[in-house]
Amino acid sequence: MMSQLLALCLFVSLIITYNAPVADARIRHYKWDVKYEFKSPDCYKKLVITINGRTPGPTILAQQNDTIIVEVTNSLLTENLAIHWHGIRQIGTPWFDGTEGVTQCPILPGDTFTYKFVVDRPGTYMYHAHYGMQREAGLYGSIRVSLPDGQSEPFAYDYDRSIILNDWYHKSTYEQAAGLSSINFTWVGEPQSLLIQGKGRFNCSTPGTDASNCNASNPECSPYSMTVVPGKTYRLRITSVTALSALSFQIEGHNMTVVEADGHYVEPFVVQNLFIYSGETYSVLVRTDQDPSRNYWATTNVVSRNATTPPGLAIFNYYPNHPRRSPPTIPPPGPYWGDVDPRFNQSVRIKARQGFITPPPKFPDRVMLFLNTQNDVNGYRRWSINNVSFNLSHTPYLIALKENMHHTFTQIPPPDGYDFLKLNIYERNPNASGTTTDAVYRLPFDATVDVILQNTNSMVVNNSETHPWHLHGHDFWVLGYGRGKFDPYKDPEKYNLVDPIMKNTVPLHPYSWTAVRFKADNPGVWLFHCHVEAHFFMGMGVVFEEGIDRVGELPSSIMGCGATKQFSKP
């Protein structure tokens, strides 16, 4: 009997060993101190939010299925804080999505909050502030998730690099927020600079510039230089965390092959200009096959806006040239800002890579039509969906729904459609008066949901803005794009159900529509919003609830605000 038991134990041991993963998942532990410091990322000195003294913050490097633990100490002194892990679906940990007002109470000044979550997919992601408008003050960074040891990507490269693109304001987020939320609507205007990996170059001779705050010789604002070895292939993971701007990115004299978008493999295609919108990430392959005796410009330009912001410049440094040696040529011009065709065509071109296609469900259970409009609400200028502008509740929705505190927000759901027959998307909104809501959309668990985003004219005549829409907690299939007004009877027949790319952020082009589909299969409460800071601040977003009864016990660390003050906090 004993020999049979030993034999059984040995057999079970062999099975466990045989089925064990090649490498155990790791725990990656970070300690971050978030505070204001004076910095000069574009030569102009201002208060900047830093992580451990840096902006951009530290890059999180991990492998698929690793656990990330980040201990965040809020040393901002007078401001609350929350950090969103953009592109990480937070399966099983919806309370660590890092969205103040939706999944947690903010981190109070002086407090330390611990985020703990699993990065379950390889790919290129980001993190950034999700309280007020703090993202544009410098709180952001890259997340790079690699495959486990022994596994390889479906494309080859020699080196892996991350690049963050951003626009940069000299005025504080307080000044911008005050202007956006006043009866006498005041906009701070276009950003002063474009940053590449946290570095730019503002012209200190610009009229009205305080000379004591601008120093062109400050080494902080020397151009970012990426050193490369000739004859190699580089994977550049490009992330946009812009507050406002849609961008074009190019490397002088080099083609870029797009291979990944928002963590999903793309059927490869070649571009000279990569169009990228706030909240998006791409991986491109670049071959260093040009004249190695010189350096080259890497540039970023504003598109979709007639902007006054000068291009962002960096140096693509061929070793052994000096990394600060300027290229012998002038920087290449960017594409014309108002040319929608190449931007629209790039969006349509992005398909899932063969061999890595996840087919979408053939039919939706629910269809929502989201009209992107501007309204005047009681004298305030607002961005709206179906003429209803969104306000966050004072009690985070995840806690309110899980704890049945339904009195904390409006129970009448927002509208999920509009009168498309009467709609003229090319005229200034005739229904200028709008309303506000703090209600949410409650979705049946595991339902297939279609959202059609329809763009229109803003409150400014002959103006339709680009809106990059980001969904928390999910990836969605991009079913299609179209010019003009969406036809709910004819246009769904044109959807791509064969090889649509999956993403978490998608552009809505001027006077156009974008259709996405997702499965409501991640228990929690998830924000869906325009990733332009000012637009979301002014109400351009919605909240989806799904499977709240399947959410586990909430940690007390996310509580302490609104109606959750009754709950103890450690």
Side-chain angles (χ1 to χ4, degrees), residues 132-152:
M133 303 178 75
Q134 289 175 341
R135 186 179 87 226
E136 69 179 61
L139 204 170
Y140 51 79
S142 296
I143 302 175
R144 188 194 307 174
V145 183
S146 304
L147 285 164
D149 295 338
Q151 298 185 30
S152 59

Side-chain angles (χ1 to χ4, degrees), residues 32-35 72-77 79-81 107-113:
W32 290 355
D33 185 30
V34 178
K35 63 181 178 180
V72 179
T73 298
N74 180 4
S75 298
L76 297 178
L77 301 181
E79 290 184 45
N80 296 331
L81 173 68
I107 309 169
L108 300 177
D111 280 3
T112 296
F113 184 92

Side-chain angles (χ1 to χ4, degrees), residues 143-272:
I143 302 175
R144 188 194 307 174
V145 183
S146 304
L147 285 164
D149 295 338
Q151 298 185 30
S152 59
E153 310 274 5
F155 43 82
Y157 53 91
D158 299 298
Y159 299 102
D160 201 341
R161 300 285 188 270
S162 296
I163 298 177
I164 293 181
L165 307 179
N166 198 29
D167 48 13
W168 195 247
Y169 284 94
H170 290 170
K171 290 189 176 181
S172 71
T173 59
Y174 288 119
E175 290 174 279
Q176 182 159 179
L180 297 177
S181 57
S182 65
I183 290 286
N184 296 319
F185 177 79
T186 305
W187 182 52
V188 295
E190 301 293 333
Q192 278 63 59
S193 301
L194 297 180
L195 308 184
I196 300 178
Q197 201 57 25
K199 290 177 175 290
R201 179 61 65 91
F202 178 71
N203 182 1
C204 292
S205 299
T206 301
T209 302
D210 184 353
S212 64
N213 281 335
C214 203
N215 180 6
S217 62
N218 190 326
E220 277 189 70
C221 59
S222 58
Y224 173 66
S225 180
M226 173 179 286
T227 301
V228 296
V229 177
K232 300 295 182 181
T233 298
Y234 284 77
R235 178 183 185 174
L236 304 185
R237 300 174 185 256
I238 304 170
T239 296
S240 173
V241 290
T242 54
L244 173 69
S245 310
L247 298 176
S248 167
F249 176 80
Q250 61 182 313
I251 301 174
E252 179 190 10
H254 294 72
N255 288 333
M256 296 179 287
T257 302
V258 181
V259 293
E260 179 225 346
D262 290 1
H264 292 275
Y265 298 132
V266 170
E267 188 65 20
F269 64 94
V270 177
V271 298
Q272 283 76 47

